[in-house]
Every structure is written in structure tokens, then in C-alpha cells.
Amino acid sequence: MTLMEHLRELRSRLFKASLGLVLGFGIGYWLSKPAINIVKDPVCKVMEPRFGECKFVQLGVADVFLLQLKVGLWLGLLITAPWWMYQLWAFIAPGLHRNERKYAYIFISIAAPLFALGAYLAWFALGHGLEYLLPDKDFIETSLDITRYVDFITTGMLVFGVAFEFPLIAMMLNFAGVLSGRKLLGWWRTVVFIFFAFAAVATPTPDPFTMTGLALAMSLLYFGAVAVALINDRRKGRNQSIYGDVSDDEISSLDDYAPEPVAAATSVGGYDPVEAPTPVDAPTPVERPRSLDSRYDDIT
């Protein structure tokens, strides 16, 4: 296909995906109120025992309407994900080899459940974190803005869902031959530290429980990805490198990798340039392995 044909194909795929998103947005807007009620459940379970009722505040005239549009768009993206992802895949797949398509199917099928698992963990953890964030009625009267609260919960679900994709990226790099399982395992201290630092910054609540839950979940998934990478390396025979079984922290002897002696060059016209005549008074040269570089030095 020429460049213009590729551009026309891309335009066609984007148009079809957009039609699916418009249809999904209509369905998502119709389901937006039940979805908002589900998002409200964690805070209502905390507010009702303390305040007797669970009510939110609307600060702007169109806040609730705009919130329903936003939630409807998110739901539309999720509902029509198989359709617009298929359009993207139909544009990319012709340029991939058969084994690359097989791995892509596997990774896509794993990515969706991991994202859903991270989103559910955020919904569960943030709900329990609200018990420490909301004060008692005797201390202060609490009124929550519905828009800011829904943004708070959905942002946490999005962050957790994306964070759960990090171990999958490590596994993809291993299958692509970029990183070995041993190297991924050797980085575990640094990776766990990065996970805790990321969780401390990304979690929307200041309580330590949500941060620790996210970091531990990411660490467990990372070690699972490392185990899969080690099995994949063993299956493909990547354990033996050109340097043998020497680890990154082990010092090896240089004698193990000394150049092998090379046979002398064939003489031309009865004269061997390597075996040049030695003067009588000259000391006996020390025997050493001859290579192409050493023969060149002897000649010059």
C-alpha cells in the first residue's frame, strides 16, 4: 500500500471507531446515574452511621449534568472497547509477523483483567480509606461536592488500573528479547522502591494503607512477571550467554576469555612473513598466542 492508501485506511478505521464511541456514549449516559450511585456507596457507608444520611452538594448549576456527561463518556469507552480496539488492531495487524500477532493477543487478553483488578482494588481501598479521612459529626459538619468526590474516586481507579500494567510491560520486554529474567530479578530492590514511591505520589489519599496496598500488589505482580520471564528464558535457552554463567556482581578471570592461538599464515614464494629470520645475538622471543593483530605487529 502507498502512503495515501495507508492514510485512507487510517481515516476509515478512525471513523468507524468514532461511530462506535458515539453509540457507546449514548448507552453510557443512560447508565450514568446507576454508575454514580455505585461510586457513592463507599462514602455513604461511612457517612450514614455518623451523620444519619448521605447527601452531596452541587456548587454549580450544571455540575450534575456535566458529571453525567463525563461518566457517560467513560462508560462509553469501556462498553465499546472491543469495537474501537478491533479497529486499531485491524490497522496494525497486517504489518506484524505471525508470532508477533500471537503475543499481542496474549498481552491484550491479560491487560484488560489487570486494569479491571486495579480499578476494583482502588474502589475497595479508597472506600476503607474514607473512614480515616472523614471526621466525626461531633467535631465538624461534613458536606461533599458530588463532582469533586466522583473525580476523586475515578482518578484513583484509573491510577490503580494503569499501575497494574507495569509488570505486564516488563514481561513484554522479556518476550521481545530486550530484558532477561535474571536482570529483572536482579533489579527487584530498585523496582520495589520505585513502586512504593509511585504509590505514595499517585494515591489520592494520605493514609498509608492505600499506598501500601497498591505497592504490595504491584510488587507481587512484578515477581509473577519475573517468574514468567525466567521460564521463557529457560524455554528459549537464554540462560547461557557469551560470558557463561557469570552474574553481574561476580568478577571473572580474564584468562578464561584469552584469544585462542591462530595458525600461521601460509608462506608465499618460500618466505613466511611471520617466521622472519632472527638475528644471532637477539634474545629468544617469549612464546605467546599469535593472532592476526600480533602477526601484523611482527611484520611492521
Side-chain angles (χ1 to χ4, degrees):
M1 295 175 65
T2 63
L3 176 61
M4 294 304 299
E5 289 174 342
H6 278 294
L7 293 178
R8 293 191 189 99
E9 175 72 11
L10 178 61
R11 181 183 63 182
S12 175
R13 296 297 178 183
L14 291 177
F15 179 73
K16 294 177 181 178
S18 300
L19 289 179
L21 288 176
V22 171
L23 179 60
F25 172 71
I27 301 174
Y29 180 77
W30 180 62
L31 298 174
S32 60
K33 288 185 178 180
I36 293 175
N37 291 330
I38 294 175
V39 175
K40 283 171 28 180
D41 284 343
V43 71
C44 287
K45 290 179 180 179
V46 179
M47 294 181 65
E48 288 177 354
R50 298 181 181 183
F51 305 104
E53 58 182 356
C54 180
K55 290 186 178 181
F56 292 85
V57 177
Q58 178 181 351
L59 300 179
V61 177
D63 283 353
V64 175
F65 175 71
L66 294 177
L67 179 62
Q68 291 179 357
L69 292 178
K70 183 187 295 185
V71 174
L73 180 60
W74 279 108
L75 291 176
L77 286 171
L78 294 176
I79 293 172
T80 59
W83 172 251
W84 57 262
M85 289 183 68
Y86 167 75
Q87 298 299 327
L88 178 64
W89 178 252
F91 179 75
I92 298 175
L96 301 178
H97 296 289
R98 181 175 299 177
N99 59 335
E100 294 173 341
R101 296 181 190 177
K102 179 183 68 174
Y103 290 142
Y105 287 134
I106 296 174
F107 291 134
I108 291 174
S109 61
I110 297 175
L114 282 179
F115 185 89
L117 180 62
Y120 175 76
L121 179 62
W123 182 81
F124 178 80
L126 293 177
H128 287 275
L130 292 172
E131 297 180 1
Y132 302 93
L133 296 178
L134 296 179
D136 294 331
K137 184 178 181 180
D138 298 335
F139 178 69
I140 191 172
E141 191 72 23
T142 301
S143 297
L144 299 178
D145 177 22
I146 182 63
T147 303
R148 295 178 62 183
Y149 169 75
V150 173
D151 289 342
F152 169 79
I153 295 294
T154 54
T155 301
M157 295 174 68
L158 180 63
V159 169
F160 274 55
V162 172
F164 272 44
E165 304 295 335
F166 289 164
L168 181 62
I169 295 175
M171 193 167 64
M172 291 174 61
L173 293 176
N174 174 260
F175 274 73
V178 179
L179 293 176
S180 65
R182 286 185 177 181
K183 190 169 290 294
L184 291 174
L185 183 60
W187 291 347
W188 74 270
R189 297 179 181 86
T190 304
V191 171
V192 171
F193 174 78
I194 292 174
F195 284 164
F196 272 88
F198 171 81
V201 175
T203 50
T205 58
D207 65 287
F209 305 102
T210 305
M211 178 200 74
T212 304
L214 175 59
L216 289 178
M218 293 175 63
S219 300
L220 290 176
L221 290 174
Y222 178 78
F223 284 114
V226 170
V228 174
L230 291 174
I231 295 173
N232 180 59
D233 289 346
R234 182 175 298 238
R235 181 177 63 87
K236 292 189 175 182
R238 292 179 184 165
N239 289 339
Q240 296 294 334
S241 63
I242 60 174
Y243 302 106
D245 289 333
V246 181
S247 63
D248 294 339
D249 300 330
E250 183 180 352
I251 300 177
S252 59
S253 175
L254 295 178
D255 296 335
D256 297 337
Y257 312 115
E260 296 292 336
V262 181
T266 305
S267 60
V268 179
Y271 173 74
D272 190 345
V274 177
E275 301 296 336
T278 304
V280 178
D281 298 336
T284 305
V286 179
E287 293 293 333
R288 58 188 178 91
R290 290 185 177 275
S291 63
L292 293 177
D293 295 336
S294 63
R295 290 201 301 273
Y296 180 78
D297 293 338
D298 291 342
I299 297 173
T300 55

